[in-house]
Amino acid sequence: MKPVTLTTERLVLRPFEPGDAPAVHAACQEPDIPRWTSVPSPYTLQHAEQFTGTVVPDGWRDDTAYDFAVVSRADGSLVGAMGLVRLALHAPQRQAELGYWTAKEQRGRGYTVEAGRAVLRWAFHELGVERMEWVAEVGNAGSWAVARRLGFQREGALRAKLVHSGTRRDAWIGSLLPSDLAGDPQYASDGTAGLPLPDGTPYLPHPR
């Protein structure tokens, strides 16, 4: 995949660059980020340099992860990170997982939801994703609050799904389908209608 840039009213989402390493390092010193995500702890500048300079470009080139730096359009400051991981974009799977973290000083302003809508619109309409997943350790209320606002439906808990600090932990899992957003103007390109749905694999839900 050739790296892309997405824009919203307040944000620019672009692939991380080596020059972002100091800001990434600073953000990941906040304890909640290593506690609830897979970033190493302690998080060193070398970790940030490897992520921005090697991991991110390799992910885009190899179609293994599409990671975006979420930055403010007003002053260029780093708001957070958002990416599509566990990519399986070819038929019949057409799935991905949405992951994100937000710098502590940028929380509470709706930035992560705003960025998430842009990434989901791109994933469903341009990449042909038919099922988007969200996975977080049970108890990660902040991540679930964002996912819920994005329209995810929490489907349950997976036992021993995640390994964190050498311990297996249970995880919440949620999903979002293009059809879930078809009537939501937040996902429309013109702000007046729901997400346009490309032709996809037919879905036969089990009767409830």
Side-chain angles (χ1 to χ4, degrees), residues 1 9 21 28 38 51 56 90-91 100 124 131 142 145 148 168 171 174 180 187 190-191 195 203:
M1 165 69 71
E9 180 181 354
C28 290
S38 60
F51 175 70
V56 171
H90 297 294
Y100 42 83
F124 286 138
R131 174 182 164 89
R148 184 176 61 245
R168 286 199 171 273
D180 294 334
Y187 289 89
D190 60 3
L195 180 76
Y203 171 41

Side-chain angles (χ1 to χ4, degrees), residues 12 36 76 87 98 116-117 119 132 150 165 173 176 182:
V12 175
W36 294 111
L87 301 176
L98 183 70
R117 287 185 176 131
V119 171
M132 185 68 69
L150 289 171
S165 299
I173 185 169
L176 187 66

Side-chain angles (χ1 to χ4, degrees), residues 55-56 58-67 84-88:
V55 174
V56 171
D58 285 355
W60 283 93
R61 184 190 64 241
D62 299 337
D63 294 317
T64 54
Y66 301 150
D67 286 303
L84 298 180
V85 299
R86 296 180 179 84
L87 301 176

Side-chain angles (χ1 to χ4, degrees), residues 8 20 40 43 52 60 79 95-96 99 106 117 120 153-154 172 176 189 191-192 194:
T8 70
D20 296 316
Y43 193 80
T52 59
W60 283 93
V79 171
Q95 298 184 32
Q106 304 285 5
R117 287 185 176 131
L120 291 169
Q153 296 185 32
R154 200 162 75 191
W172 285 325
L176 187 66
S189 58
T192 60

Side-chain angles (χ1 to χ4, degrees), residues 104-205:
K104 182 177 181 179
E105 65 273 14
Q106 304 285 5
R107 296 173 191 166
R109 306 178 187 179
Y111 286 147
T112 310
V113 172
E114 184 175 326
R117 287 185 176 131
V119 171
L120 291 169
R121 186 186 304 115
W122 174 66
F124 286 138
H125 192 58
E126 302 297 332
L127 301 182
V129 171
E130 296 180 349
R131 174 182 164 89
M132 185 68 69
E133 292 188 339
W134 161 85
V135 177
E137 184 180 330
V138 171
N140 190 346
S143 183
W144 170 236
V146 170
R148 184 176 61 245
R149 288 187 62 190
L150 289 171
F152 281 85
Q153 296 185 32
R154 200 162 75 191
E155 298 173 331
L158 304 175
R159 296 187 303 159
K161 170 67 173 176
L162 303 177
V163 177
H164 189 277
S165 299
T167 302
R168 286 199 171 273
R169 301 168 188 253
D170 296 343
W172 285 325
I173 185 169
S175 70
L176 187 66
L177 310 181
S179 57
D180 294 334
L181 308 177
D184 190 338
Q186 297 284 354
Y187 289 89
S189 58
D190 60 3
T192 60
L195 180 76
L197 297 177
D199 292 335
T201 308
Y203 171 41
L204 181 62

